[in-house]
Amino acid sequence: MRTLRILAVDDEPPALDELAYLLRSDARVAEVVTASDATEALRVLRGADIDAAFLDIRMPGLDGMELARVLHRFAKPPAVVFVTAYDDRAADAFDLGVLDYIRKPVEPERLSESLRRIVSALGIKTSGPETAVIPVELAGTIKLLPRAAVHYVEAQGDYARLHTADGSHLVRVALATLAERWSDAGFARIHRSYLVRLSQISELRLTSSGYVVVIDGRTLPVARRHTRELKDMLLRAAKQDGIR
């Protein structure tokens, strides 16, 4: 159901057009209004009921950080998400209380995760992602496995193995398909072979061969292209829980 009203702000037209296009492609977004600078953004906000603002940080005049400070003084402030090519302002951003921090170029999966956080923060009721079930076969009997029981998913050719606390189940669906369908249910792609539930990660650490995560005592590799996004997600979750 399309419910979210989004404001996207960027002084670079190609980046703004791309962000608006990706936002409008998401089924949760009802409307996207664009602005090329903070002055235009404030004018939009005075005349529209906006749920969330996606802001570039480095803009002429009032930059994204300063605009976010202004928005937080609103009686009913929109959720704020920074979309930037720079990674040196993440800590400052989360100290401001922003909901998310996305790096350019924006990937659809990462944007979908950000929209999921907005929906959750605003308390918007959806179809109930944690009530979803997956049919699996056990000893010739079809059982319905709650998606909430899945800790991580491992690709096995055209199949995917769902790992739970009690074991694993092989289902005939591609990992890429599950990654797309479950992006709004707390799962993140960390590698071409792994999709993980973020809340099940007990550790993220750097090894001689790159970053890994630990889930249920098992070490899973994190692909380099997913590392920055994963760090952002875990940092934001820690901030929300009051861990510094």
Side-chain angles (χ1 to χ4, degrees):
M1 181 181 296
R2 293 182 179 271
T3 59
L4 294 175
R5 294 171 299 279
I6 305 292
L7 171 64
V9 187
D10 198 313
D11 64 308
E12 298 180 356
L16 182 59
D17 290 345
E18 176 69 10
L19 177 59
Y21 171 78
L22 292 174
L23 287 166
R24 292 184 179 117
S25 299
D26 193 282
R28 291 160 292 195
V29 176
E31 181 182 6
V32 178
V33 184
T34 61
S36 59
D37 56 35
T39 300
E40 187 179 355
L42 291 171
R43 186 161 52 245
V44 169
L45 287 162
R46 283 196 294 267
D49 186 12
I50 298 295
D51 295 308
F54 284 70
L55 312 178
D56 187 21
I57 290 183
R58 297 192 181 182
M59 297 186 293
L62 202 67
D63 69 15
M65 286 283 183
E66 294 165 327
L67 178 56
R69 292 188 180 96
V70 173
L71 298 185
H72 281 305
R73 293 199 291 267
F74 280 26
K76 185 182 177 183
V80 173
V81 175
F82 282 137
V83 183
T84 178
Y86 304 95
D87 59 3
D88 58 348
R89 305 298 298 276
D92 294 337
F94 288 119
D95 284 341
L96 274 177
V98 304
L99 193 65
D100 207 354
Y101 189 99
I102 302 176
R103 291 187 178 89
K104 298 177 183 178
V106 179
E107 296 183 354
E109 297 86 355
R110 184 65 183 84
L111 189 64
S112 179
E113 165 63 16
S114 191
L115 290 167
R116 182 196 67 79
R117 295 173 186 175
I118 292 169
V119 168
S120 177
L122 295 178
I124 297 173
K125 298 299 182 182
T126 64
S127 58
E130 292 310 332
T131 64
V133 294
I134 307 97
V136 298
E137 186 173 353
L138 292 172
T141 301
I142 299 298
K143 300 284 187 179
L144 296 180
L145 176 72
R147 180 167 59 186
V150 178
H151 291 186
Y152 67 95
V153 185
E154 182 178 7
Q156 294 192 346
D158 293 332
Y159 290 76
R161 183 166 293 279
L162 311 178
H163 292 266
T164 70
D166 301 321
S168 67
H169 308 275
L170 194 64
V171 293
R172 190 171 185 175
V173 60
L175 186 71
T177 301
L178 288 181
E180 181 179 353
R181 292 177 181 173
W182 293 6
S183 61
D184 62 348
F187 285 83
R189 188 80 174 264
I190 63 166
H191 188 274
R192 64 183 179 182
S193 298
Y194 293 102
L195 176 71
V196 303
R197 181 182 288 276
L198 294 171
S199 61
Q200 291 297 325
I201 295 175
S202 60
E203 186 177 348
L204 170 67
R205 69 169 181 260
L206 180 62
T207 70
S208 58
S209 58
Y211 277 93
V212 299
V213 296
V214 178
I215 297 180
D216 296 337
R218 181 172 178 184
T219 300
L220 307 177
V222 179
R224 181 176 299 177
R225 71 188 187 95
H226 293 298
T227 300
R228 293 196 307 179
E229 287 76 15
L230 180 61
K231 285 181 178 179
D232 283 349
M233 286 186 253
L234 295 176
L235 175 61
R236 189 206 64 86
K239 291 282 187 179
Q240 275 196 332
D241 292 338
I243 303 172
R244 298 188 61 86

